[in-house]
Amino acid sequence: MTSSEPLSTLQAPPAQFDLPGLEEGILQLWAERDVEGRSLREGAAAARGRSDRPSFAFNDGPPFATGLPHYGHLLPGTIKDIVPRYQAMCGFAVERRFGWDCHGLPIESLVESDLGVHGQAEIEAYGIDRFNAACRAGVLRFTKEWETMVRRTGRWVDFENDYKTMDPSFMETVWWVFRRLWDEGLIYEGFRVQPVSPALGTPLSNFEVAQGPQEKDPVTRKEGHKRIADPSLTARFRLEDEDASLWAWTTTPWTLPSNLALAVHPDVTYVKVRLVDTGEIAYLEPGRLADYQARGRVGATEELARMPGRELVGRPYAPLLPFFERYREREDGSRWSFKVVAAEYVTVDSGTGIVHQAPAFGEDDYQVGQREGLPMVRPMGLTGVFDDSVGGFAGMFAKDADKAIVARLKAEGKVVDHDSIVHPYPHCYRTDSPLLYMALSTWFMKVEPLRERLVRHNEAIHWVPEHVGTGRFGNWLAAARDWNLARSRFWGTPLPIWRCDEDPSDMVCVGSIARLEQLAGMEPGSITDLHRENIDPITFPSAKTPGGTMRRVPEVFDCWFESGSMPYAQSHYPFDQSKRQYVEEHLPADFIAEGLDQTRGWFYTLHVLATALFDRPAFEHVIVNGLVLAEDGKKMSKRLKNYPDPADVIRQYGADALRAYLVNSAAVRAEPMRFSERGVRDTVRKIVLPLWNAYNFLATYARADGWSPSSQTLGHRPSAALDRWILSRLQAFVGQMRTELDAYALSNLVPSFYEICDDLNNWYIRRGRRRYWRGKGEGDASDKDDAYATLFQVLSTITHAIAPVIPFFAEWMYQRLHVDTGLAGEGEDSVHLMRYPQVDAGRRDEALERDVSAVRQVVNLGMAIREREKLAVRRPLATITVASPDPEVRRAVETGREDLLGELNVKELRVQEDDRGLVELSAKANFKTLGKRLGKKMKAVAAAVAAMDAAALTAYLKAGSVELEGETLGEGDVLVVRETIGEQAAEAAEGVTVVLDTAQSDALRREGLAREIVNRVQNLRKNKGLEVSDRIELRLTCHGELAAVAGDPELAEMIKGETLATALTVVGDPAGVIDAGLVDEDERFEIDGETLRVAVAKDA
RNA sequence: GGGCGUGUAGCUCAGUUGGUUAGAGCGCUGCCCUGAUAAGGCAGAGGUCGGAGGUUCAAGUCCUCCCACGCCCA
């Protein structure tokens, strides 16, 4: 980074490792060189058919911009960056447009709070135009923060060329989509039972219901709806075909005027009883009767008959209240209402086992009513006030009418029992009033007829993980219900249905702006916005009904309909001719990714609309991520502050660390993950630092040596086994990365990367580091070139391969390795514009990899022996004996002799086949091969195998088979286990035994001490901040054995050579002043109880 | 209430078609190595594999039920 440095060398690593700072620098570099822009514009051009590259279609799900991004966005955001980045490196042009979900309840609720205007009536009074203007102004309030955060995480996505669901072009395509469905006959008007806040006069969404007041159940301690006291009324419904009653129970007497049927469970047994006191004959479920009697609400009874519920079905009863008697019979005289019907949902947990049905006021009731063809009776509007159809109750609020209704029924002798009950009940989140459930008119898309096609197209989708597609999503599709896609709201895409005010069946569905202008006789181009305030006033005369005026229906679309239309609407399909072909060719899109919670959300709506419109799936590959939980396993909660601010985490550890941490978690397999700040910190140490260290090593020595890469470096084929080994491992690594990325399986990327870094740092560089130390003219120059070229190739390839995962650090490495050194050509100024590495199968050598594994295993065994015997590695030993019956292992160990001796600091290697005298043989049955064959005999045979003695085992090994318990055991059926005998310094593993000769000769001991001295000097060099190539003058003050070592000419040369000392002065210490601590200058060390004083001076 | 997941060491997670003594990383303890390393190596402590039944010669793994947690839907 000093300006005097020539550009063709590897830059010195920064003194401090500061990943966040490094990332900021890379962001700046990307901006200065327009790197991101070049990549994104390539994708955008492809969408218009103006790129020579093949295109890869990625569709981004739009988030609501009403809140700030959190980990639930950053995790899918990382996935959405890795895959397109990889595909771009594979030569595809990838369009990556950011999207904003602008409509819907989140923003409407915010604006309601801001304005203090709540519910339909208030908003209409306030003015839809002003209300929507406030939504428009507020919905993008955090887009800058989003952009900043998303960019800071390294995600490349096009914000300039973004899409918004409130854009007129987007909304027009939504109209087009709807019109297509309308033409296909997939749209119908129907009812849906919805919770209504009578105080607001507005239906509420599930989300709003969940926002309502909560409290704990006093018994179960579970959180639930706020509790309320309601009437508990059991009424008698007089049968018309017998002098008897059906008893039914309700907690909502206000729905009784609308009663149209009574439901029984077809398979439950009911009883007919006579009440001893009154002689009344009644039907109900016997267990429930016993409950009433136990509570003293009903007296003694006499059982008359028993029958299953299905035998009661169809029996007529007299209306409890007279208001809707006209629905008793149909025009053809058949029984219509006021009869017993069957319903599977009826339970015997409460009430009488016979359930009052008011189809307009309950989801279950509504379903039964639809099935039975019952009329729709709803004597009230959204405010819950009875209308004139219910006589004396007219004008009363539903809940207030309870008392009057009960009183009237009592007076008419129709009440069996009247009590009160406290139970959880949903309340309005805004006004705290109890909600009323009622059937409201709305618009549906027919999904049920599409089920078979939905399931079939789902089979073509590649789900990661698979179970989400086959399980959760597949089940949902197979049971898909018609989709209520209208909302009684204000800020959304209006339903493009105009209906005649004279004849409600006279309707027009408008599929484009131009068509509306034409119908309304407006100038082309005069409609510039499609929100309600601009569209609702547009009317036109009916073509069918003379004198009728066509007016838009009031509803807007469910915002999921809009996000499901995104593949078409983001490109203004089919209106924008330049992108028509792209849209049609890229359905299904190649790739999408979102959280598990989108299964019934975006994934579903995309799939339903693509199936309905084009008879295709909407996407080909999808990665589903799990939820990010706080470290305590709970949901992340702003209120609880149980998670760190993402911006702080990035500032402290870097975005690469966060990305690698997230993508290395179970969350990429759709499992929930617990976010831990420590996990991010560990990721820096485990993932980024190893690569940085490796670069640091290369740069340090290359600079000292004046080595720099040339265009030949990357193709260089070294001959040394160590080089060929790491290059082979590199091919394996690239292969793993490609396989995983091609399969959209991201969970093994980081582990594979970690493995190659480990091999690089802890074997390749560690074993090969002396190759880089040789000064000019020393040793084999071509070997040194091999070493540099190999290390450079490895770092370069790793950098390319890991770039999609850690884009910042990979870019930093690339800049150092390729750009600063002048290797990168025109247009090659960013790693992200380069091609993803190919596997060079010719450089893979699996036999060599196995050999190195064998050597490393022997090293580990040797280390274990040294540990156990307390033999420091710095102290040389005379011999190591490796015994193995496997010729492959013996050959591998011989080949790796140098590494083995070097690592273990041993002088001589002996390899032998015979391990007799070193190990004891014992045997175990191989359950895997024998289990299936032997079955119940397995236990006896296993015992016989375990009892085999050394002689029997040797015989088995020779013959390859043995006869036991009448069974012939062949090769592999008996597993021979070797254990070292007695006290010797030996370790055994499968197929190999290692023994160390622990005897220390004087010569070995002196050499060990010399190495101790070297170690102290090296530490001192480092502490003094000397460069690895600096020469020093060295002065040692010591006495006794250390003085003898330092005075030995051979050892002194060794010390000088290792420490780059040009001069070594040994000062005796006859007075013992250093032992006495009288000397405090320089450094003092203890070695084997003797004191050493070291003085180091840089040789000028 | 239903669907789909999850539950294995203090923490984060592996654990193949059932197979012997259940593994790794982090953290902890001890020792070692370091002429790039903020790393690394060796060892130790730490487990009723959520619980209970069952199938099997053999169950963390298969079956049934239950418990807890999560998402979605009622």
Side-chain angles (χ1 to χ4, degrees), chain A residues 23-89:
Chain A
E23 291 178 348
E24 301 279 358
I26 295 296
L27 280 173
Q28 212 176 329
L29 180 142
W30 285 342
E32 281 164 9
R33 298 195 194 154
D34 188 30
V35 180
E36 181 178 354
R38 275 185 277 161
S39 178
L40 293 174
R41 279 196 300 276
E42 187 75 43
R48 293 197 152 78
R50 294 189 208 136
S51 169
D52 345 319
R53 295 191 180 199
S55 50
F56 177 89
F58 161 69
N59 281 344
D60 196 0
F64 283 117
T66 47
L68 289 169
H70 52 77
Y71 299 103
H73 300 110
L74 299 185
L75 169 60
T78 300
I79 296 169
K80 291 174 191 181
D81 189 56
I82 290 176
V83 171
R85 230 176 241 283
Y86 169 68
Q87 294 295 342
M89 289 181 83

Side-chain angles (χ1 to χ4, degrees), chain A residues 139-153:
Chain A
V139 71
L140 298 176
R141 65 176 86 176
F142 289 130
T143 50
K144 271 288 150 227
E145 285 82 350
W146 269 82
E147 186 172 341
T148 305
M149 172 69 92
V150 168
R151 284 194 191 286
R152 185 60 191 81
T153 61

